[in-house]
Amino acid sequence: MNHTSNPETLKWPITPNIIIDDYIADSLSVILSPEIPLSSFSLKQCFQNVSFKNDSKKEWIKVLRDIADDLEKK
């Protein structure tokens, strides 16, 4: 789901917020500004059929493992 907005009508600075739903583990919602509608997407779909360049796949694995390890500690 993509949204476009006229940047001249937005309030500055834009401070992005990320909300992860406590009940749906793979749903990620991003709010860039009150003037831009909420965008939601599935993390699983983001990585499905992705062709990674060079070692970026290893880096994504590392980042996601770090997040999982941090959540597991809590």
Side-chain angles (χ1 to χ4, degrees), residues 34-68:
E35 293 89 353
I36 299 174
L38 175 73
S39 295
S40 297
F41 55 93
S42 164
L43 289 175
K44 184 176 180 179
Q45 287 177 346
C46 290
F47 290 98
Q48 213 168 30
N49 301 319
V50 172
S51 57
F52 294 93
K53 296 180 182 177
N54 304 321
D55 288 336
S56 64
K57 183 176 185 176
K58 291 178 187 175
E59 292 301 315
W60 271 110
I61 290 169
K62 183 177 179 256
V63 167
L64 294 172
R65 275 209 182 108
D66 288 346
I67 292 170

Side-chain angles (χ1 to χ4, degrees), residues 6-56:
N6 178 359
E8 293 180 16
T9 63
L10 300 177
K11 295 178 183 147
W12 296 95
I14 293 177
T15 307
N17 293 313
I18 296 176
I19 300 168
I20 300 176
D21 193 322
D22 289 338
Y23 303 104
I24 304 173
D26 72 338
S27 177
L28 183 70
S29 300
V30 180
I31 302 169
L32 291 176
S33 168
E35 293 89 353
I36 299 174
L38 175 73
S39 295
S40 297
F41 55 93
S42 164
L43 289 175
K44 184 176 180 179
Q45 287 177 346
C46 290
F47 290 98
Q48 213 168 30
N49 301 319
V50 172
S51 57
F52 294 93
K53 296 180 182 177
N54 304 321
D55 288 336
S56 64

